[in-house]
Amino acid sequence: MLVDCSSETLAPLQPLATASARMYPEFAHELQVESGVNVDLREQGAVVFPPADLVPERPGLTLNNQLPAPLAELEPALAETDRPAFFLKERSVDPRGLTTAAWKTAKRRGVDFSSGDPATSVTVLHGRVAGIVTAKTTFAAPKIVNCAGAWAGQIAPHAFPTRPVKGQMLCLAAPSRTLLTRVVRSPEIYLIPRSDGRILVGTTVEEAGFDKRTDPATIQRFHRSAVAMVPTLQSARILEDWAGLRPGTPDALPILGATSTPGYYVATGHFRDGILLAPVSAQLMADVINETQPAFDLTPFSTQRFTSIPSTR
């Protein structure tokens, strides 16, 4: 979900979220053309059922967000309900397709990848970066970007304050590719339809360390909630479940820009907005690395906002 709603985005992050959401159509189109991979960018919007106690003052949800038609006409598969619902003009994209498309596009442009060989530290010589040490080898480089997500703080010499925040997911095979047209969000779950008939159900926000195991009780709760919202999903086949680790930070904002070590940059801590912020983060980091003035003030996302970032050595 490319959520660009002020009620769900921290104020310092809103300008970047809005800019990145606007970049997505061209970004997705370029990746699809160059890679031949469908990223399934959908623009049908989202139906949102906010928590009942927040409806009167829900920021970002106003009369301008009223449903364009009766709920039963917009999404006939939804169970009857008298809960207030709003409509948001936002997009969704398939993260797996997007990642594959980006990887293939980069390969076509001559980017080399080293897989299955985790980075362990950054080499610093004469006060600036000189390369990367991995579990198997070393790479020389005058400029380095640490974008290791929840693991970013484990790579010496800087212990960036990132931590893993677990999110469990369930994927169902809908009996019809047109069962749901729009993303549906409620306090209990969200449902994300894909063009191939899959429906994603999520998610949790768990402080569970680097544990990526799923919990059967949680997955069963997802399934029950999905069926309660869309009764036809009772006959849907369960395709898979999994858990991912989001990179969280102490203030829930990304860490973007240069570090105190010349030639060393960081782009991590995007928490639940990593896919949404991908294009704008890439542009901003390219500007910083090329010593071009970024389009946005990166002070709220600087490493300097943390009083001290200890060395991992």
Side-chain angles (χ1 to χ4, degrees), residues 63-255:
L63 291 176
N64 293 328
N65 303 114
Q66 289 184 326
L67 297 177
L71 189 59
E73 294 180 17
L74 284 178
E75 297 294 345
L78 287 177
E80 291 187 14
T81 178
D82 57 1
R83 298 166 64 178
F86 296 85
F87 176 76
L88 294 178
K89 295 180 180 180
E90 62 185 34
R91 303 181 179 93
S92 64
V93 71
D94 183 348
R96 291 179 180 176
L98 188 76
T99 303
T100 300
W103 179 78
K104 288 192 173 184
T105 299
K107 292 278 286 185
R108 285 174 59 89
R109 295 192 179 194
V111 176
D112 290 329
F113 290 85
S114 176
S115 302
D117 186 15
T120 58
S121 65
V122 170
T123 303
V124 179
L125 292 177
H126 309 299
R128 65 171 297 117
V129 299
I132 301 171
V133 177
T134 74
K136 298 178 182 178
T137 186
T138 60
F139 296 92
K143 294 184 178 182
I144 295 168
V145 182
N146 181 337
C147 47
W151 292 264
Q154 298 186 354
I155 301 173
H158 297 300
F160 304 111
T162 56
R163 72 186 191 284
V165 183
K166 182 177 178 179
Q168 299 185 52
M169 295 288 296
L170 170 66
C171 183
L172 303 174
S176 165
R177 291 189 179 188
T178 58
L179 181 67
L180 276 183
T181 301
R182 298 159 187 84
V183 170
V184 180
R185 298 209 301 271
S186 76
E188 298 81 25
I189 58 166
Y190 59 68
L191 304 175
I192 309 175
R194 300 292 188 217
S195 298
D196 61 3
R198 290 176 297 144
I199 293 182
L200 275 65
V201 186
T203 183
T204 59
V205 179
E206 304 174 58
E207 300 289 347
F210 288 93
D211 179 9
K212 295 181 69 173
R213 294 174 296 179
T214 57
D215 171 49
T218 299
I219 300 303
Q220 290 170 9
R221 173 171 58 83
F222 283 170
H223 189 261
R224 288 194 301 269
S225 296
V227 171
M229 186 170 286
V230 181
T232 307
L233 290 177
Q234 178 67 54
S235 61
R237 182 163 53 94
I238 295 178
L239 294 177
E240 61 175 321
D241 58 66
W242 70 94
L245 302 177
R246 316 173 185 92
T249 64
D251 57 8
L253 292 174
I255 307 174

Side-chain angles (χ1 to χ4, degrees), residues 23-95:
M23 295 170 70
Y24 245 94
E26 182 177 356
F27 175 61
H29 176 72
E30 289 184 356
L31 289 181
Q32 287 192 160
V33 169
E34 289 200 41
S35 68
V37 175
N38 178 24
V39 305
D40 199 22
L41 183 67
R42 295 169 59 91
E43 304 190 0
Q44 288 85 349
V47 173
V48 180
F49 297 97
D53 58 334
L54 295 181
V55 170
E57 68 277 358
R58 187 72 166 176
L61 297 179
T62 67
L63 291 176
N64 293 328
N65 303 114
Q66 289 184 326
L67 297 177
L71 189 59
E73 294 180 17
L74 284 178
E75 297 294 345
L78 287 177
E80 291 187 14
T81 178
D82 57 1
R83 298 166 64 178
F86 296 85
F87 176 76
L88 294 178
K89 295 180 180 180
E90 62 185 34
R91 303 181 179 93
S92 64
V93 71
D94 183 348

